[in-house]
Amino acid sequence: MKIIVTETYRELSIKAASLIAEEIKRCKNLVLGLATGSTPEGMYAELVNFYRAGNINFSGVVTFNLDEYVSLEPGHPQSYHYFMRRHLFDHVNLAPENVNIPSGCAADLESECHAYDAKIEQAGGIGLQVLGIGANGHIGFNEPDSSLKVHTHCVNLTEETVAANSRFFETPDQVPRRAVTMGVGSIMKAAKIILLASGSGKADAIRQTTKGVVTTSVPASILQVHRDVTLIVDREAAAQRCLL
Ligand code: F6R
């Protein structure tokens, strides 16, 4: 696991966007796994800047998002479909048919999950996966539990995650209690992974993700056995990290 510690959130965002840009230059048909949440917002802003400056071309890139809330329509301002349009898709030359986000509104969510995994497989698997991390160590919405699921699935969000994400909604009651998420299988099969963490609220999760123990109670800890993971963390998030 490679750990890059930055002084600021801006630096973290530029570093992450630069790694993605390099990877797209190396492989113009990159299959790119994407995350939502506050942490990658700066990275998306930098990617849009790179695109406007003519330094990145998304025309051959295929994207797969990690997750979506169950029951939020794509037009809902707190849906991850909406987030992605607002922060990236509306501003760059990604082909709409190359953009994939699981539906949280499909009539048959189980079939939707199977179809999503099949589509990732058909695309050849994920080349570069971007991850954020929950304060409880979740990746995607793979929450701490006694076991981790391999495939895309529906999950009940923990009270901690609902509380953390309530900052995006008017009231905590509006936060969906369920989500569709890629399982750890598609994430771990990605050729490369970048995990971003910013702020002291993530310091303990980063410590547990880097301390040499893999446990389902900290889902991100499984990344320690992946062969190509880069953690990009700012100083606050890195404060308690273990040096592997
Ligand atoms: C969202 C996702 C989540 C977030 C995590 C951190 O697509 O995969 O795992 O990355 O909840 O969210 P923020 O960045 O808002 O702290």
Side-chain angles (χ1 to χ4, degrees):
M1 197 178 253
K2 184 173 169 198
I3 304 181
I4 298 173
V5 182
T6 66
E7 285 302 310
T8 62
Y9 173 70
R10 175 97 205 281
E11 203 190 317
L12 171 154
S13 303
I14 293 172
K15 185 76 206 164
S18 304
L19 289 181
I20 293 174
E22 274 168 31
E23 203 58 26
I24 294 175
K25 274 200 184 110
R26 218 177 52 79
C27 171
K28 65 180 173 28
N29 300 119
L30 182 68
V31 179
L32 181 59
L34 297 174
T36 57
S38 310
T39 313
E41 282 182 14
M43 174 193 83
Y44 290 130
E46 297 303 335
L47 285 174
V48 171
N49 288 341
F50 291 175
Y51 173 71
R52 288 185 179 146
N55 293 330
I56 192 167
N57 176 5
F58 289 93
S59 62
V61 174
V62 176
T63 65
F64 285 91
N65 265 78
L66 284 164
D67 41 23
E68 179 56 287
Y69 289 116
V70 167
S71 80
L72 293 196
E73 296 287 346
H76 189 290
Q78 300 312 332
S79 73
Y80 290 163
H81 282 74
Y82 190 94
F83 174 101
M84 288 309 304
R85 284 200 303 276
R86 185 152 64 96
H87 290 282
L88 185 69
F89 299 159
D90 281 354
H91 312 289
V92 300
N93 65 335
L94 267 162
E97 63 275 18
N98 287 349
V99 161
N100 300 279
I101 305 183
S103 167
C105 293
D108 181 347
L109 284 173
E110 208 174 314
S111 303
E112 168 70 15
C113 291
H114 288 311
Y116 201 66
D117 283 334
K119 215 164 177 196
I120 295 173
E121 286 292 318
Q122 274 162 23
I126 292 168
L128 174 63
Q129 176 67 56
V130 178
L131 297 174
I133 184 170
N136 65 1
H138 73 211
I139 46 175
F141 275 134
N142 293 281
E143 297 279 41
D145 204 341
S146 54
S147 60
L148 293 175
K149 293 220 166 71
V150 171
H151 300 294
T152 300
H153 60 284
C154 280
V155 61
N156 294 322
L157 300 178
T158 61
E159 278 311 312
E160 198 178 357
T161 296
V162 170
N165 289 3
S166 64
R167 70 192 192 279
F168 299 113
F169 292 79
E170 277 169 29
T171 67
D173 290 354
Q174 294 176 353
V175 186
R177 266 42 183 183
R178 296 178 75 216
V180 174
T181 182
M182 256 186 221
V184 291
S186 305
I187 296 173
M188 289 298 284
K189 277 196 250 167
K192 295 184 183 187
I193 297 175
I194 304 176
L195 183 142
L196 310 179
S198 170
S200 56
K202 300 292 172 67
D204 189 51
I206 291 300
R207 179 182 65 82
Q208 303 218 54
T209 298
T210 54
K211 76 174 185 183
V213 174
V214 175
T215 168
T216 59
S217 57
V218 184
S221 64
I222 197 172
L223 298 174
Q224 291 167 108
V225 298
H226 190 282
R227 66 178 69 224
D228 194 342
V229 176
T230 303
L231 243 64
I232 310 177
V233 287
D234 62 15
R235 251 184 340 145
E236 287 81 11
Q240 299 177 30
R241 80 189 185 282
C242 300
L243 294 170
L244 291 181

